[in-house]
């Protein structure tokens, strides 16, 4: 149901949330088992959405731009691979011009529930039990 891009972004953010200092793409990739070249693009998307910030230099890398108590799973997914709600008939059938058919309405209802659950889930909640732990390099 969720793309690999969304999964990679969620792993990267979870890792950054557990670390106190900025981390490079190489460090994030090694810890999260995400290919570095792909992760670089994911991190750029997260930076454009202002969810992570990057800093250059000797102690540079990426860090979260939002506190984990305010950062929701929904924010991450929407930044890299938005949940596509169904607003009109995907088949463009004239009899469904004013309302979704029962099948597509139920599919959209399910997407709405997923969206709501992700909006309610902060990274502070997700990380009540650590996933990655501290970086051994620290």
């Amino acid at each position: 149901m969720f793309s690999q891009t969304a999964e990679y972004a969620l792993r990267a953010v979870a890792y950054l949330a557990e670390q106190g200092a900025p981390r490079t793409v190489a460090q994030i990739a090694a810890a999260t088992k995400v290919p570095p070249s792909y992760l670089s693009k994911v991190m750029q998307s997260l930076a454009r959405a202002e969810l992570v910030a990057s800093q250059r230099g000797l102690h540079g890398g990426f860090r979260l731009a939002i506190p984990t108590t305010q950062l929701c799973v929904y924010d991450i997914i929407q930044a890299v691979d938005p949940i596509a709600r169904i607003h009109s008939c995907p088949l463009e059938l004239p009899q469904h011009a004013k309302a979704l058919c029962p099948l597509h309405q139920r599919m959209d209802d399910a997407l709405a529930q997923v969206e709501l659950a992700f909006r309610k889930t902060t990274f502070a909640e997700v990380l009540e039990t650590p996933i990655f732990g501290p970086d051994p390099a620290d």
Side-chain angles (χ1 to χ4, degrees), residues 4 28 34 50 59 79 82 113 120 125 131:
Q4 193 169 47
I28 300 167
V34 176
E50 300 180 352
H59 301 289
Q113 290 301 310
K120 289 182 175 181
E125 294 168 326
I131 297 171

Side-chain angles (χ1 to χ4, degrees), residues 3 21 24 29 33 50 52 77 97 103-104 111 114 118 128 138:
S3 70
T24 65
K33 302 190 182 330
E50 300 180 352
V52 300
I77 291 175
L103 172 64
H104 288 111
L111 290 169
V114 169
F118 286 164
E128 286 177 357
D138 287 341

Side-chain angles (χ1 to χ4, degrees), residues 63-115:
R63 62 174 173 75
L64 293 184
I66 298 173
T68 59
T69 55
Q70 296 173 18
L71 184 60
C72 299
V73 169
Y74 175 82
D75 300 328
I76 304 307
I77 291 175
Q78 289 302 101
V80 297
D81 190 20
I83 296 171
R85 298 286 303 276
I86 304 170
H87 300 289
S88 61
C89 179
L91 302 174
E92 299 179 359
L93 298 174
Q95 61 267 37
H96 301 152
K98 294 186 184 207
L100 293 175
C101 70
L103 172 64
H104 288 111
Q105 184 61 60
R106 282 174 179 77
M107 290 173 68
D108 187 61
D109 290 346
L111 290 169
Q113 290 301 310
V114 169
E115 189 177 290

